[in-house]
Amino acid sequence: MKPKTLSLLASILLFTLIALCLAWETVIAPLRPGGSWMTLKVLPLMAAMFGILKGKRYTYQWSSMMVLLYVTEGVIRTNDAAPGNALALAEAIMSCVFFVVVVLYARNTAPSRLAAQAQASSDT
């Protein structure tokens, strides 16, 4: 996949993950009635948003490690009562897909890979 496609996909996944986490913890299935402090879990995702939108490779690298926390939370909370368990599964799946996308983006935009592509295009 092209880096531009991966960047768009990562942005969409990140927006969706933020929306899911906020809706989950405020309206759909909060830990406490009326919402909880768990809404603060979107702050790291929001911090990554600006770098993801700008296509900063470093943000893609650190967000690939950060999103593993959301995979873990999603897997652990699949034992919650409905509808929390479905939301947890959705969070885990979206986080896994986001992880794959950002890793592919970081790999495809590596300076060594870009130099090799430039060299190959100049040879032909």
Side-chain angles (χ1 to χ4, degrees):
M1 289 183 128
K2 294 182 179 181
K4 188 149 185 106
T5 305
L6 292 169
S7 178
L8 178 63
L9 191 54
S11 299
I12 291 168
L13 284 165
L14 193 54
F15 274 125
T16 308
L17 192 56
I18 289 170
L20 172 77
C21 290
L22 281 176
W24 179 7
E25 299 299 344
T26 57
V27 180
I28 301 172
L31 289 176
R32 294 193 178 118
S36 70
W37 284 94
M38 287 293 288
T39 55
L40 295 177
K41 72 181 180 184
V42 300
L43 292 178
L45 295 172
M46 292 175 76
M49 179 56 69
F50 300 111
I52 295 291
L53 290 174
K54 291 181 180 179
K56 293 187 176 185
R57 188 169 182 273
Y58 182 72
T59 304
Y60 280 83
Q61 290 172 326
W62 68 257
S63 66
S64 70
M65 294 295 105
M66 178 215 37
V67 79
L68 295 177
L69 296 171
Y70 295 87
V71 173
T72 304
E73 182 203 19
V75 169
I76 290 172
R77 291 185 68 183
T78 54
N79 292 326
D80 286 0
N85 58 353
L87 295 168
L89 184 61
E91 179 186 39
I93 291 170
M94 285 192 331
S95 298
C96 285
V97 174
F98 180 78
F99 175 79
V100 170
V101 168
V102 297
V103 167
L104 287 174
Y105 180 89
R107 188 186 81 173
N108 290 344
T109 59
S112 59
R113 187 173 295 261
L114 294 175
Q117 289 173 353
Q119 180 67 28
S121 66
S122 66
D123 288 344
T124 57

